[in-house]
């Protein structure tokens, strides 16, 4: 028995020592990641910036230290860090060119791709080169790669080129099978967001606006690719119609879609020739993570804050809304904008918005805070892939609005969706209800029945009042009459290039253009930028707790498996937690 206790004690001590050593090693890894991510580097002479196009492009991507620790890489890249990397590569004399490595890559919007492509074209103005290579190019990836001096393809590779299509999904009949229907109150003939749940096909106004904006986006793609590849737009359309995706790679060279066919090892020789180094010499490469550690050329002067507002607009996370993506929490945003208002070091604010909207009440609160902020310093809105409905609500009061030509904006209209599950409960599940009430509408909102005509009339007037307020905010902010706003409102979606003609935006351009405008309004000669809110560091992510990590994992897994069904199904799950009045775009544009 004595020997047994000795062995048991030794085992416990051994386990304790193992856990202690493992914990120390883990902390050393975290400290190493933090220190390596924060320390600056100087690129070697004759270096190449490698732009690896794989995973997803998001407006702003926080460094996921757990993913880096476990997988060595992240599944997404941020537009902000990519634009910063391209700009640094242009300015740094040791970086001679960009090598684009194309893979399975998708973007949050065509406007984000257009912004990145403009940055690549601006990079070429420095006299430096860009070479692109891929085993296969998605349509969006090829759009980016076409800006390169040379585009190469694997001899057995493909270039996807088929045009654009929008395929909205409709769930009305599916919900009916379970005894659930949506009671709808809305303002705006073009306000199509609820159609997914209340119709089985596109309304004619919705079909009209979708036709306009996908043709507008495609025309921008054709124009840009045509200019870079010296292929007429008519010929590019003909290639799309003939589905050259499945053409032999040799034919793509003849079509001038690509410049040559090479294997991966052969592309290295092409890059070495550009660098004027011997075949046996090593190529000095820097990725996006490395470029974040390269110092910017200019950090002098006054500060221009770039405040990022990305995702659904919500009244506050206290509602318990579940989402794997970012949200624009009105309480947090108002607090942050108030802090920027009081910060004497900040001379102007660029409000970077990428949102299809959400809660009308939350949008009104953010609108108010922008009004207070611009009394002290200029506020310039930079629209990303989408700044529509509630996203436009929070934009319209700023001093100046800049959008990309393919930004989706407008959608000035609101609605309320109220689920009626009484048939599911009473007929399909056999639940019985009884009641005692003191007043005529005491049981308003009961699960036992749908709204009656009088109650719907009250709701319609409530929604109409919210629409009138939204329309007035736009009229005041854009210095237009209410009648002129009405002609471009009604929930109508506009591309940025059309919104410019309708006076919904002031200028077409990029985030850099917005920064320049903010500096001009603030009368700044020298300035630098700083992004807000600050991204979470490694220790903050660790202290976030295992529960948050588990939830994120579960929702990311659901998103991966459900694909295009994810957003509408998550909306249905959370519908009772949303504010009654919604100012938002369709939950998934489903442009492919």
């Amino acid at each position: 028995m004595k020997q047994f206790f000795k062995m048991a004690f030794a085992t416990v001590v051994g386990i304790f020592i193992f856990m202690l050593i493992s914990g120390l090693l883990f902390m050393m890894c975290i400290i190493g990641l933090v220190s390596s991510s924060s320390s600056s580097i100087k690129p070697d002479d004759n270096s190449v910036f490698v732009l690896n196009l794989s995973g997803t492009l998001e407006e702003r991507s926080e460094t996921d230290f757990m993913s880096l620790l476990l997988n060595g890489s992240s599944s997404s890249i941020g537009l902000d860090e990519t634009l910063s990397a391209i700009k640094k590569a242009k300015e740094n004399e040791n970086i001679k060119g960009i090598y684009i490595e194309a893979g399975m890559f998708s973007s949050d919007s065509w406007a984000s791709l257009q912004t990145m492509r403009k940055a690549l074209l601006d990079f070429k103005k420095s006299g430096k080169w860009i070479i692109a290579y891929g085993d296969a190019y998605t349509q969006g990836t090829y759009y980016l790669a076409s800006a390169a001096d040379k585009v190469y393809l694997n001899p057995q590779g493909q270039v996807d080129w088929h045009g654009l299509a929008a395929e909205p999904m409709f769930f009305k009949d599916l919900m009916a099978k379970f005894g659930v229907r949506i009671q709808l109150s809305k303002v705006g003939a073009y306000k199509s967001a609820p159609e997914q749940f209340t119709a089985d096909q596109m309304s004619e106004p919705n079909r009209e606006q979708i036709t306009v904006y996908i043709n507008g986006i495609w025309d921008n793609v054709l124009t840009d690719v045509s200019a870079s590849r010296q292929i007429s737009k008519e010929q590019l359309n003909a290639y799309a119609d003939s589905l050259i995706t499945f053409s032999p790679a040799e034919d793509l060279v003849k079509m001038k879609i690509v410049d040559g066919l090479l294997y991966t090892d052969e592309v290295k020789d092409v890059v070495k020739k550009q660098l004027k180094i011997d075949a046996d010499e090593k190529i000095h490469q820097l990725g996006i993570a490395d470029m974040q550690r390269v110092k910017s050329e200019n950090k002098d002067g006054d500060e221009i804050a770039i405040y990022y507002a990305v995702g659904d607009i919500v009244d506050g996370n206290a509602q318990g809304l579940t989402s794997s993506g970012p949200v624009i929490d009105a309480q947090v945003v108002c607090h942050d904008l108030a802090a920027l208002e009081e910060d004497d070091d900040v001379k102007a604010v660029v409000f970077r918005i990428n949102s299809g909207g959400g809660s009308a009440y939350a949008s009104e609160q953010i609108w108010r805070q922008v009004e207070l902020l611009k009394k002290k310093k200029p506020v310039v809105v930079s629209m990303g892939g989408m700044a529509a409905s509630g996203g436009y609500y929070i934009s319209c009061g700023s001093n100046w609005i800049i959008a990309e030509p393919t930004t989706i904006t407008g959608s000035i209209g609101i609605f309320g969706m109220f689920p009626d599950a009484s048939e599911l409960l009473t007929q399909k599940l056999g639940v019985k209800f009884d009641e005692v009430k003191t007043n005529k509408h005491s049981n308003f909102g009961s699960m036992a029945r749908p709204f009656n005509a009088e109650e719907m009339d009250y709701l319609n007037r409530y929604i109409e009042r919210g629409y009138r307020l939204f329309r007035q905010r736009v009229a005041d902010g854009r210095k237009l009459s209410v009648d002129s706003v009405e002609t471009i409102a009604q929930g109508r979606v506009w591309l940025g290039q059309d919104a410019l003609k309708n006076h919904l935006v002031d200028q077409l351009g990029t985030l850099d253009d917005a920064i320049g405008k903010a500096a001009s309004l603030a009368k700044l000669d020298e300035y630098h930028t700083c992004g807000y809110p600050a991204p979470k560091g490694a220790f903050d992510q660790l202290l976030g707790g295992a529960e948050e990590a588990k939830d994120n994992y579960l929702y990311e897994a659901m998103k991966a498996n459900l694909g295009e069904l994810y957003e509408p199904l998550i909306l249905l799950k959370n519908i009772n937690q949303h504010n009654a009045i919604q100012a938002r775009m369709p939950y998934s544009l489903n442009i492919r």
Side-chain angles (χ1 to χ4, degrees):
M1 183 61 71
K2 186 177 180 181
Q3 188 67 23
F4 169 78
F5 282 117
K6 283 184 178 180
M7 292 177 65
F9 179 73
T11 301
V12 171
V13 171
I15 291 172
F16 175 77
I17 293 173
F18 172 78
M19 292 177 65
L20 180 63
I21 294 172
S22 298
L24 289 172
L25 289 173
F26 180 77
M27 290 305 298
M28 288 173 65
C29 289
I30 293 296
I31 292 169
L33 279 172
V34 174
S35 60
S36 65
S37 65
S38 59
S39 61
S40 62
I41 61 172
K42 181 180 180 181
D44 294 319
D45 188 28
N46 229 16
S47 292
V48 176
F49 166 40
V50 178
L51 180 54
N52 191 332
L53 299 179
S54 61
T56 58
L57 177 68
E58 300 174 355
E59 179 66 43
R60 197 182 189 205
S61 179
E62 291 188 354
T63 301
D64 188 341
F65 286 95
M66 291 304 295
S67 293
L68 290 175
L69 186 65
L70 299 174
N71 306 319
S73 64
S74 178
S75 61
S76 65
I77 61 174
L79 179 63
D80 58 339
E81 63 186 6
T82 305
L83 296 178
S84 173
I86 294 171
K87 187 174 183 179
K88 288 178 182 178
K90 176 187 175 182
E91 296 171 347
N92 195 291
E93 61 181 13
N94 290 341
I95 298 175
K96 306 303 181 184
I98 294 177
Y99 172 63
I100 297 176
E101 191 169 48
M104 297 308 296
F105 179 70
S106 63
S107 172
D108 64 342
S109 67
W110 280 96
S112 293
L113 292 175
Q114 192 170 39
T115 299
M116 191 189 300
R117 195 177 190 278
K118 287 178 180 177
L120 292 170
L121 292 174
D122 181 66
F123 171 86
K124 289 170 66 175
K125 292 178 182 177
S126 66
K128 299 180 181 182
W129 49 265
I130 302 177
I131 291 173
Y133 174 79
D135 293 326
Y137 291 90
T138 65
Q139 195 161 244
T141 309
Y142 180 74
Y143 174 63
L144 289 176
S146 65
D149 298 287
K150 295 291 181 181
V151 181
Y152 294 105
L153 176 68
N154 187 288
Q156 302 303 317
Q158 290 180 309
V159 175
D160 188 16
W161 189 255
H162 60 270
L164 296 183
E167 295 181 332
M169 292 180 288
F170 301 91
F171 300 93
K172 175 187 172 185
D173 291 346
L174 173 64
M175 293 164 58
K177 293 180 186 296
F178 295 93
V180 178
R181 70 182 185 93
I182 294 294
Q183 301 166 104
L184 174 65
S185 177
K186 73 162 187 167
V187 180
Y190 292 90
K191 198 65 183 175
S192 58
E195 285 184 3
Q196 281 190 307
F197 308 104
T198 61
D200 53 17
Q201 62 181 4
M202 285 182 276
S203 63
E204 284 308 310
N206 190 26
R207 187 179 297 277
E208 176 190 347
Q209 67 182 352
I210 290 177
T211 300
V212 170
Y213 71 65
I214 68 165
N215 278 291
I217 293 171
W218 182 239
D219 187 65
N220 273 269
V221 173
L222 292 174
T223 300
D224 293 343
V225 174
S226 175
S228 294
R229 298 300 303 169
Q230 297 300 299
I231 307 171
S232 71
K233 292 166 66 173
E234 293 75 18
Q235 189 61 65
L236 287 169
N237 262 327
Y239 289 158
D241 289 339
S242 60
L243 211 60
I244 63 169
T245 305
F246 302 105
S247 296
E250 294 81 4
D251 289 354
L252 298 177
V253 178
K254 297 174 185 175
M255 296 174 189
K256 297 196 296 185
I257 294 293
V258 298
D259 295 293
L261 306 179
L262 300 171
Y263 287 101
T264 308
D265 58 298
E266 294 174 309
V267 176
K268 292 180 182 178
D269 294 333
V270 173
V271 173
K272 288 178 180 180
K273 285 180 181 178
Q274 290 290 142
L275 294 171
K276 298 180 174 61
I277 62 176
D278 295 334
D280 59 347
E281 288 188 63
K282 180 183 176 182
I283 300 173
H284 298 296
Q285 303 178 40
L286 298 100
I288 286 181
D290 300 314
M291 294 302 298
Q292 288 181 277
R293 297 164 58 199
V294 174
K295 284 187 177 180
S296 295
E297 295 297 314
N298 182 19
K299 277 290 182 184
D300 299 325
D302 294 303
E303 180 182 324
I304 296 176
I306 305 175
Y307 191 88
Y308 289 86
V310 182
D312 282 352
I313 300 175
V314 301
D315 298 335
N317 279 331
Q319 288 180 306
L321 295 174
T322 49
S323 171
S324 66
V327 295
I328 302 171
D329 184 336
Q331 296 175 20
V332 173
V333 172
C334 289
H335 176 272
D336 291 347
L337 293 182
L340 291 176
E341 177 189 340
E342 298 300 323
D343 191 336
D344 293 333
D345 293 330
V346 175
K347 304 303 181 184
V349 176
V350 173
F351 198 12
R352 175 68 175 183
I353 299 171
N354 193 344
S355 171
S359 165
Y361 174 81
S363 300
E364 166 73 9
Q365 307 316 304
I366 297 172
W367 170 87
R368 169 65 179 169
Q369 199 62 54
V370 171
E371 288 292 305
L372 296 174
L373 175 60
K374 76 174 185 179
K375 289 179 180 179
K376 286 197 173 183
K377 53 197 70 173
V379 180
V380 175
V381 164
S382 170
M383 292 181 168
M386 188 182 294
S389 203
Y392 189 76
Y393 200 134
I394 65 177
S395 304
C396 66
S398 61
N399 297 98
W400 197 259
I401 301 176
I402 298 179
E404 284 283 1
T406 54
T407 294
I408 291 177
T409 188
S411 192
I412 303 165
I414 66 171
F415 64 89
M417 288 200 313
F418 311 94
D420 169 27
S422 58
E423 182 183 335
L424 169 65
L425 293 171
T426 60
Q427 297 183 34
K428 295 186 181 294
L429 298 180
V431 178
K432 305 299 181 185
F433 291 89
D434 205 345
E435 69 177 19
V436 174
K437 62 181 184 180
T438 61
N439 295 86
K440 184 177 181 181
H441 299 293
S442 292
N443 66 342
F444 174 74
S446 167
M447 292 189 297
R449 63 173 181 84
F451 297 139
N452 59 42
E454 185 179 6
E455 289 165 342
M456 283 304 301
D457 184 57
Y458 282 120
L459 287 170
N460 288 332
R461 280 183 274 171
Y462 179 52
I463 298 296
E464 178 66 40
R465 188 167 70 249
Y467 174 68
R468 289 198 300 269
L469 178 62
F470 188 176
R471 191 177 57 187
Q472 188 65 55
R473 297 301 188 215
V474 175
D476 294 342
R478 303 302 302 161
K479 297 179 174 57
L480 299 170
S481 69
V482 171
D483 288 342
S484 64
V485 172
E486 180 64 13
T487 63
I488 54 176
Q490 287 291 317
R492 178 72 184 262
V493 173
W494 303 97
L495 284 181
Q497 61 193 22
D498 299 320
L500 178 65
K501 301 170 189 174
N502 294 331
H503 307 292
L504 290 175
V505 305
D506 298 293
Q507 180 183 339
L508 299 181
T510 64
L511 177 59
D512 273 347
D513 294 319
I515 294 168
K517 183 64 180 180
S520 173
L521 292 175
K523 298 180 173 59
L524 305 179
D525 293 323
E526 291 189 351
Y527 57 87
H528 66 276
T529 61
C530 187
Y532 295 88
K536 286 184 179 180
F539 290 108
D540 289 330
Q541 291 183 31
L542 285 174
L543 293 173
E547 197 63 31
E548 180 182 343
K550 182 186 75 174
D551 287 345
N552 286 339
Y553 172 78
L554 289 174
Y555 282 100
E556 285 294 344
M558 285 175 61
K559 194 170 186 178
N561 285 288
L562 291 173
E564 293 156 355
L565 294 171
Y566 173 79
E567 293 295 343
L569 292 178
I570 285 293
L571 173 84
L572 284 175
K573 177 183 183 297
N574 297 326
I575 196 166
N576 286 323
Q577 296 168 304
H578 284 282
N579 188 277
I581 301 181
Q582 290 287 300
R584 67 159 71 231
M585 280 282 293
Y587 308 96
S588 175
L589 294 179
N590 203 14
I591 299 176
R592 59 176 77 247

